[in-house]
Amino acid sequence: MITQTIKKAGLAAVLAGTFLAGNTLFAQKELTVDMSETIAPIQPTMYGIFFEDINFAADGGLYAEMIKNRSFEFTIPMMGWSQPNSDRHSYNNESGYALPVKYFEGEGNLNFLRVQVKNAEGYELHNEGFRGMGIKEGDTYRFTFDAKQMEGAVSAVKAELLDEEGNTIAEASIPVSGSEWANYKAEIVPSKTVMKGSLKLTFEGTGELGLDMISLFPTDTWNGRENGLRKDLVQLLYDLDPGFLRFPGGCIVEGRTLARRYQWKKTVGPVDERPSLVNRWNTEFDHRLTPDYYQSFGLGFFEYFQLSEDLGAEPLPILSCGIACQFNTGELVPMDELGPYVQDALDLIEFANGSTDTPWGKVRADMGHPEPFNMKYIGVGNEQWGPEYIERYKVFNEAISEKYPEIIIVSGSGPFPDGDYFEYGMKELKEIGAEIIDEHYYRSPEWFRENATRYDSYDRNGPKIFAGEYAAQSVAIASPDNKNNWETALSEAAFMTGLERNAEVVQLTSYAPLMAHAEGWQWTPDMIWFNNLESYGTPNYYVQKLYSTNKGTDLISVTQNGEDLVGQDELYASATLDSEAKEVVLKVVNTSSDAQEVKLNFKGKSIKNKGKVIVLKEENLTQENSFDAQEAISPSTEEIKVKGDSASYEVAPYSLNIIRIPVK
Ligand code: AHR
C-alpha cells in the first residue's frame, strides 16, 4: 500500500452507496465533470520532450553512428581502437602500426590516423563501437572513410563486421588510390544479428595510408537520412506526440567549465569539420565512470531542429548564460565579456528563423533547409541560481526582446522546487516580468503524490511555468539504485493531474532524463532504455504518452462535493474537452491498493452512450518493464457505458485511467 487508505465499513455505509473491493469497503464517490465552461486552453506544448546527451543518449544512442571516435579526436586519440597484432614496444615488422597525426593546432578535425602497413597479412585495426555494435542480419550498412596514400602502395581497405566470437559476418574491400584526401564508400549486408559486434580493418599492399572519419551507419535510419538517427528510438519519441523538444540539455549546456560549455555554432555545418568535445557526464559520477564518452556533434543543432520538425514539436533550445555548471566549477564569464554569449543567442534565432540572405540563415540553407524552422522559444541558462544568474539573464532578456520581441524567453528557477535558490530566483524573475520559468524536481514518489496541489496557488497573472525536468526517484536523486518502477510512474501520474488542472499557469512539462543505454548510463531513472539493438518505454514513458496523446484542448473542472480531487482517498483527477475529437477526456489516478467505485456525472453538454477507457495498471508497485518484458506495464483499452449523463466506473487499484466519451 502506498499510504494507509481511509476505509469505511458497515451496513450504514453499504446503504449509503458503498461497494466491496477485496476486503475493503469504500464509499462510492460521485464526481461532477462540468463541461458548461472551459477554464483555460491546454497549450499544444503542454507535454514535451527533454533531450540531453547523458547516458549515451546521442553518441552511442539516438545518433546512429556505430564507430566510436571515428575521427581520432578523443583526448586519447586512439581510444576505442585497437591493433591486436601490434606491439607498442616493437617495430612490428610482421604487422604494422598506426599513430595519430595532427593536421594543425586549433579547432575542428585536428587528427588523422597514419597507418603503417608492413605486412598486410598481419596488420589489423579494430573499432569496438559503443559497448559493441548492434548489427542486424539482412540490413544494409554504409561504411565510409577518408583516405590518402602517403608512402608505398597500400591499395585497398578491407572492412569486416565481426560477431562476438570474432567471426566475419559482413565484408567489403574498397580500393584506394592517390595522395590527396578522398572519400570512399561501401554498402555491406551482414549475415547474422549480433548485439556486440565490432569492425575490423585490414589492408592490401604495404606502405603508409592516412585515414580519417571512419564511419558506419545503418541505411535504415529515421527518414532514411545519411548522418541519421536510430529509427526505433525516434519512433518512441514520435509516439509521444510531443509538443516541444528541449535540447541539448541539461547540465551539458553549461559545461563543467565555460570552455567546455555547449556552443551551438560548433555543431553546425559539415559533419567532419565539427570539433569533438569531452562529454561532461563522462566522469561525473564515480559509481558510473564512462571515460570514453565524448560528443562528436554529428547530432548538432541543425539535426535537433530537423528532429523537432519531424516530431511536430516546437524547438526549444537552451543556451549557456555565461555560468558553468554550479554543481561543478560555477565558473563565471565577467559581465563585460558577456557579449559573445548574448550574440550566440541572437545568431541562433537568425540561424533558425532568418532569411537565407542573412549570414546564419544562409548556413541553415546550405545545410539543406532554406525554410525557417519557426522557432518561438529560447532558454537562457539551464539550472542556474543566485544573483550571478539574474544579472546575466537581464542582459540576455534585454538584447533578445529588443531585437526579437516575438521570441518567448525561458528562464530558470534553479535545481530545486523550493528553498533559498528557488525563492530568490522566482522573486527576481517575477520582478523582471519573466514570461516562462523552468522548474526542476527530482524528488521521492511521496513528494509527487503530495504535491498535486503545487500550482493551485500560483498567480494566474504571473509568469507561466515550464516543469522542465522531473522524475520520481525511488531511492534518492541520481542514486544508481533508482528504478523506473510502477510506484514512480503512478506517483508522477497523480502529480500530473495537478499540472493539467493548472494549465492556466503550467504550459510546458517534460520528464528527465529521456533515455539511457543499458550499459553506458550515468543517471537513472530514465524514460526510455535501449541497448545496441532494442529499446523500450518504461512505465513512466507510458504515463507521459497517455497524458500527451490525451491532452485535449480545453481544461474543464472535475470535482467531488465541489472540491478538486487531489488525493482524497488516494484519488486524483483532471478533465479536458477535446474540441477536435469532440470528446470529454477524464484522467483518474488511484494510488491506493483497493479498487474504488466512482459515479461520473457529466453536466453542461450531453454525451453519447459509450466511450472508452485506456488503463495503465499494475498491482505490484516494484514492477518494471525490461528488455525481456518490454510491455509488462503498458496500456489496455476497454469500453465504458453511459446512462443518460452518468457512468459508473470501477477504478482499479494502482491505476491511471483515461476516460474518453464522445460529446453529442
Ligand atoms: O537530467 C539530469 C540532470 O539533472 C540535468 O542535466 C540537470 O539539468 C539536472 O540537474
Side-chain angles (χ1 to χ4, degrees):
M1 279 211 354
I2 290 184
T3 60
Q4 191 56 44
T5 312
I6 301 163
K7 296 168 184 175
K8 294 180 182 168
L11 186 61
V14 175
L15 293 175
T18 58
F19 81 111
L20 198 59
N23 295 322
T24 307
L25 220 49
F26 266 115
Q28 186 193 54
K29 292 170 184 71
E30 291 215 22
L31 306 189
T32 303
V33 182
D34 186 354
M35 295 179 282
S36 60
E37 57 178 339
T38 60
I39 301 165
I42 301 286
Q43 298 299 323
T45 51
M46 184 70 183
Y47 303 106
I49 294 176
F50 163 95
F51 184 89
E52 174 164 23
D53 189 4
I54 182 173
N55 303 319
F56 281 23
D59 290 280
L62 189 61
Y63 184 51
E65 173 64 84
M66 294 161 70
I67 307 286
K68 185 168 71 185
N69 193 14
R70 63 185 170 189
S71 61
F72 311 100
E73 302 300 322
F74 285 18
T75 313
I76 298 169
M78 285 198 66
M79 197 178 237
W81 296 90
S82 60
Q83 306 171 79
N85 299 340
S86 308
D87 176 359
R88 175 184 299 275
H89 306 291
S90 144
Y91 285 119
N92 295 301
N93 289 330
E94 297 309 313
S95 55
Y97 200 65
L99 287 171
V101 181
K102 262 202 187 328
Y103 293 97
F104 56 86
E105 289 288 349
E107 240 171 29
N109 182 354
L110 303 183
N111 300 328
F112 70 93
L113 194 71
R114 189 195 67 185
V115 181
Q116 211 174 23
V117 184
K118 293 187 173 175
N119 178 349
E121 297 296 308
Y123 183 68
E124 293 179 9
L125 179 63
H126 291 230
N127 187 275
E128 66 190 20
F130 298 91
R131 307 295 183 272
M133 296 174 188
I135 298 169
K136 290 186 186 157
E137 178 185 346
D139 279 8
T140 303
Y141 292 82
R142 187 182 298 112
F143 174 66
T144 60
F145 59 97
D146 293 342
K148 67 170 178 178
Q149 288 176 324
M150 299 174 73
E151 243 187 67
V154 177
S155 57
V157 174
K158 185 175 172 194
E160 289 169 73
L161 298 183
L162 307 182
D163 67 11
E164 285 92 345
E165 284 75 44
N167 303 310
T168 302
I169 56 171
E171 64 183 294
S173 185
I174 306 121
V176 291
S177 60
S179 58
E180 296 298 319
W181 283 109
N183 186 252
Y184 298 89
K185 280 189 185 48
E187 291 200 343
I188 43 182
V189 180
S191 57
K192 187 177 170 189
T193 295
V194 293
M195 175 81 82
K196 286 173 175 280
S198 59
L199 173 78
K200 170 178 157 187
L201 299 181
T202 52
F203 301 85
E204 281 173 28
T206 55
E208 286 179 12
L209 188 74
L211 283 178
D212 205 354
M213 282 299 285
I214 301 173
S215 171
L216 182 71
F217 269 90
T219 56
D220 190 21
T221 56
W222 178 258
N223 280 344
R225 294 196 183 102
E226 290 190 18
N227 193 52
L229 305 181
R230 224 175 101 166
K231 208 172 169 182
D232 60 326
L233 291 174
V234 183
Q235 188 65 53
L236 281 166
L237 304 185
Y238 186 84
D239 293 345
L240 287 169
D241 190 19
F244 65 89
L245 174 68
R246 167 185 169 149
F247 55 87
C251 294
I252 209 157
V253 168
E254 311 158 57
R256 286 198 211 168
T257 60
L258 284 173
R260 290 185 176 178
R261 71 190 184 279
Y262 196 104
Q263 298 187 59
W264 74 266
K265 288 175 179 167
K266 296 183 182 179
T267 74
V268 297
V271 173
D272 57 354
E273 290 173 17
R274 301 179 193 175
S276 298
L277 182 66
V278 64
N279 187 301
R280 57 95 64 232
W281 292 106
N282 67 344
T283 52
E284 181 76 13
F285 299 122
D286 287 344
H287 53 262
R288 292 293 305 175
L289 293 174
T290 44
D292 58 337
Y293 195 6
Y294 280 68
Q295 301 176 82
S296 69
F297 296 120
L299 169 53
F301 259 44
F302 178 85
E303 290 78 17
Y304 283 124
F305 278 112
Q306 199 173 43
L307 176 61
S308 309
E309 195 169 73
D310 289 352
L311 299 176
E314 295 293 344
L316 172 39
I318 309 280
L319 299 187
S320 162
C321 66
I323 308 178
C325 183
Q326 287 161 288
F327 288 113
N328 299 140
T329 63
E331 189 187 2
L332 298 170
V333 68
M335 290 303 291
D336 59 0
E337 291 172 30
L338 195 56
Y341 291 73
V342 177
Q343 195 58 47
D344 273 358
L346 299 176
D347 290 343
L348 179 64
I349 300 169
E350 185 177 290
F351 174 76
N353 297 349
S355 78
T356 55
D357 50 21
T358 60
W360 285 105
K362 181 171 181 324
V363 174
R364 182 193 71 238
D366 290 348
M367 292 184 75
H369 203 287
E371 309 78 22
F373 283 116
N374 294 318
M375 168 178 130
K376 300 186 183 77
Y377 302 87
I378 193 166
V380 175
N382 168 46
E383 204 177 56
Q384 263 71 49
W385 63 79
E388 294 83 4
Y389 174 55
I390 298 299
E391 62 178 343
R392 283 165 182 73
Y393 175 78
K394 283 179 181 166
V395 179
F396 279 83
N397 188 33
E398 204 173 301
I400 297 170
S401 319
E402 192 183 309
K403 188 157 183 198
Y404 297 106
E406 71 284 6
I407 293 286
I408 300 168
I409 306 171
V410 177
S411 52
S413 59
F416 311 121
D418 46 34
D420 290 356
Y421 294 160
F422 178 79
E423 301 298 338
Y424 172 81
M426 288 302 257
K427 178 178 146 295
E428 294 290 323
L429 290 167
K430 275 183 199 160
E431 272 174 33
I432 301 167
E435 279 175 279
I436 298 189
I437 305 180
D438 181 12
E439 295 187 1
H440 293 179
Y441 20 91
Y442 295 98
R443 292 287 163 117
S444 68
E446 293 78 8
W447 184 93
F448 279 86
R449 297 194 299 273
E450 286 163 7
N451 276 273
T453 54
R454 175 177 177 85
Y455 295 108
D456 292 5
S457 55
Y458 272 50
D459 181 358
R460 268 45 194 162
N461 300 313
K464 302 304 175 199
I465 295 300
F466 172 21
E469 289 185 33
Y470 68 87
Q473 314 284 298
S474 63
V475 178
I477 183 164
S479 162
D481 299 322
N482 284 331
K483 302 287 181 221
N484 283 100
N485 62 28
W486 181 229
E487 183 183 358
T488 61
L490 184 65
S491 304
E492 288 152 10
F495 175 77
M496 288 171 78
T497 58
L499 298 177
E500 197 163 271
R501 274 190 310 98
N502 287 283
E504 248 177 308
V505 174
V506 183
Q507 304 206 331
L508 303 94
T509 65
S510 44
Y511 182 98
L514 180 63
M515 37 173 102
H517 188 291
E519 290 178 48
W521 61 274
Q522 298 82 41
W523 178 299
T524 183
D526 303 285
M527 199 162 88
I528 292 168
W529 286 84
F530 61 91
N531 57 29
N532 292 340
L533 290 174
E534 290 181 277
S535 50
Y536 69 86
T538 59
N540 315 71
Y541 170 87
Y542 287 109
V543 166
Q544 293 294 321
K545 182 175 169 184
L546 288 183
Y547 269 87
S548 181
T549 54
N550 293 286
K551 60 180 167 298
T553 51
D554 298 274
L555 181 68
I556 55 174
S557 81
V558 46
T559 51
Q560 183 194 6
N561 300 328
E563 289 182 357
D564 293 329
L565 244 84
V566 293
Q568 303 91 313
D569 285 353
E570 299 191 57
L571 275 188
Y572 302 78
S574 59
T576 62
L577 279 176
D578 186 333
S579 63
E580 284 151 26
K582 298 196 172 45
E583 290 178 348
V584 57
V585 186
L586 179 64
K587 294 168 185 101
V588 182
V589 179
N590 179 6
T591 60
S592 83
S593 57
D594 297 293
Q596 302 207 47
E597 183 78 7
V598 288
K599 185 172 177 215
L600 306 171
N601 298 319
F602 295 89
K603 68 177 210 190
K605 286 182 198 290
S606 300
I607 51 173
K608 295 204 175 158
N609 62 4
K610 65 178 180 209
K612 67 173 178 183
V613 190
I614 311 163
V615 188
L616 195 60
K617 63 180 177 185
E618 168 58 50
E619 300 219 348
N620 173 7
L621 290 173
T622 61
Q623 178 71 48
E624 300 166 52
N625 289 347
S626 64
F627 288 105
D628 292 335
Q630 301 188 0
E631 297 187 349
I633 300 178
S634 57
S636 59
T637 303
E638 52 197 65
E639 195 178 84
I640 183 167
K641 291 220 163 58
V642 178
K643 275 198 187 138
D645 291 331
S646 297
S648 290
Y649 179 65
E650 187 182 297
V651 189
Y654 299 145
S655 65
L656 161 63
N657 307 266
I658 313 280
I659 302 168
R660 299 193 66 119
I661 303 174
V663 177
K664 279 185 193 160

